[in-house]
């Protein structure tokens, strides 16, 4: 428990974490509001084919906050401190304090999981409020089962970001790839036009946990299971690499 609390304290001490909170809390609401405005006339007329996606699309595209969270949790450990502070890295101190590297990564993953869940709950509240503000009585009913799926999607995405950053020891690559994939160009979506195997990529499978799309491939449970397997495999590989790696290299 002390290790978990220490990781929480470390995360809250990072300046960049507040950017993650800001983006995570409000980006989904902004996306949902814009989508609601674009769809409002069709929804009122009763001809919209995307009513079931309104609101949820903000939770699908607004995961950048937890991506930043997962990346920062690890990349901050490998930042070289200033010469006045000795020019070392936080990871050296962390591994001196923790009894094992596995214990260290589990505590860090636990802290990221808790914060991701709380951040997604806040995002759900702002998103639901924004959708109802724009659409009023025409806003779709938000189902608890789908909202739970969104929470799982955010949490798994944050843990994937954490695992990838452990492998790269650098936050630039995971941030560039994951944020681009979830906001600008979905590589999984493009690949799904070529092969059905793309539906088994983590983000594409995870979306099926809460989005009702015309090209949905998995049931919510299957989509969650596929994404969980990706997270588990990434974490196992990250633990193995981290255990063998000279952190100072």
């Amino acid at each position: 428990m002390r290790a978990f609390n220490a990781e929480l304290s470390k995360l809250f001490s990072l300046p960049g974490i507040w950017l993650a909170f800001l983006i995570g809390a409000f980006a989904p609401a902004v996306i949902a509001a814009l989508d609601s405005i674009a769809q409002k006339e069709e929804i009122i007329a009763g001809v919209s084919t995307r009513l079931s996606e309104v609101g949820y699309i903000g939770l699908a595209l607004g995961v950048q906050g937890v991506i930043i969270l997962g990346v920062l949790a690890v990349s901050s450990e490998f930042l070289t401190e200033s010469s006045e502070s000795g020019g070392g890295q936080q990871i050296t101190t962390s591994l001196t304090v923790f009894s094992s590297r596995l214990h260290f990564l589990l505590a860090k993953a636990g802290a990221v999981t808790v914060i991701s869940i709380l951040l997604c709950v806040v995002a759900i509240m702002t998103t639901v409020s924004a959708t109802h503000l724009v659409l009023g009585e025409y806003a779709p009913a938000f189902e608890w089962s789908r909202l739970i799926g969104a929470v799982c999607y955010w949490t798994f995405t944050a843990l994937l970001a954490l695992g990838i950053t452990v492998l790269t020891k650098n936050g630039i690559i995971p941030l560039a790839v994951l944020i681009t994939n979830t906001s600008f160009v979905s590589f999984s979506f493009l690949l799904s036009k070529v092969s059905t195997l793309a539906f088994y990529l983590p983000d594409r499978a995870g979306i099926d946990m809460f989005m009702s799309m015309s090209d949905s491939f998995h049931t919510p449970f299957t989509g969650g299971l596929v994404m969980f397997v990706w997270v588990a495999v990434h974490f196992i590989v990250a633990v193995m690499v981290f255990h063998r790696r000279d952190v100072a290299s």
Side-chain angles (χ1 to χ4, degrees), residues 3 7 78 91-92 94-109 162 166 169 235-236 238-249:
E7 288 304 316
F78 294 99
I91 188 67
T92 305
S94 297
L95 293 183
T96 302
V97 174
F98 282 88
S99 57
S100 73
R101 297 190 179 199
L102 176 60
H103 190 196
F104 168 67
L105 287 182
L106 286 175
K108 194 170 284 293
L162 181 149
V166 171
K169 291 178 58 177
F235 191 78
I236 292 171
V239 169
M240 293 172 61
V241 171
F242 190 59
H243 182 72
R244 301 185 179 198
R245 175 188 288 158
D246 178 2
V247 297
S249 62

Side-chain angles (χ1 to χ4, degrees), residues 196-213 215-227 230:
T196 56
L197 291 176
F199 288 102
Y200 290 91
L201 292 172
D203 59 318
R204 189 61 188 79
I207 288 291
D208 286 340
M209 284 192 283
F210 63 99
M211 289 284 285
S212 299
M213 299 186 295
D215 63 343
S216 292
F217 190 81
H218 303 286
T219 64
F221 176 78
T222 305
L225 183 61
V226 170
M227 196 172 187
W230 275 97

Side-chain angles (χ1 to χ4, degrees), residues 12-24:
F12 281 110
S13 69
L14 299 174
I17 204 67
W18 303 108
L19 175 62
F21 291 162
L22 185 65
I23 293 175

Side-chain angles (χ1 to χ4, degrees), residues 47-196:
V47 297
S48 175
T49 59
R50 296 184 54 250
L51 179 60
S52 62
E53 296 177 24
V54 171
Y56 292 104
I57 194 169
L59 297 172
L61 300 178
V63 294
Q64 288 80 14
V66 291
I67 290 174
I68 294 172
L69 169 67
V71 170
L72 277 179
V74 177
S75 62
S76 60
E77 296 282 349
F78 294 99
L79 290 177
T80 303
E81 299 174 352
S82 62
S83 56
E84 291 80 3
S85 303
Q89 294 179 323
Q90 175 64 41
I91 188 67
T92 305
T93 304
S94 297
L95 293 183
T96 302
V97 174
F98 282 88
S99 57
S100 73
R101 297 190 179 199
L102 176 60
H103 190 196
F104 168 67
L105 287 182
L106 286 175
K108 194 170 284 293
V112 168
T113 297
V114 169
I115 296 177
S116 296
I117 293 172
L118 294 176
L119 188 55
C120 188
V121 170
V122 173
I124 287 172
M125 291 189 292
T126 60
T127 299
V128 171
S129 299
T131 304
H132 279 276
L133 182 64
V134 174
L135 296 177
E137 62 181 297
Y138 298 99
F142 286 83
E143 303 169 24
W144 280 108
S145 59
R146 294 176 68 184
L147 293 177
I148 291 172
V151 172
C152 292
Y153 178 70
W154 277 47
T155 303
F156 290 161
T157 299
L159 292 175
L160 277 174
L162 181 149
I164 294 172
T165 310
V166 171
L167 298 177
T168 62
K169 291 178 58 177
N170 186 296
I172 297 176
I173 296 175
L175 276 178
V177 173
L178 293 174
I179 288 182
T180 299
N181 187 60
T182 55
S183 58
F184 298 108
V185 180
S186 174
F187 306 118
S188 301
F189 175 77
L190 295 177
L191 289 172
S192 68
K193 303 300 180 182
V194 179
S195 172
T196 56

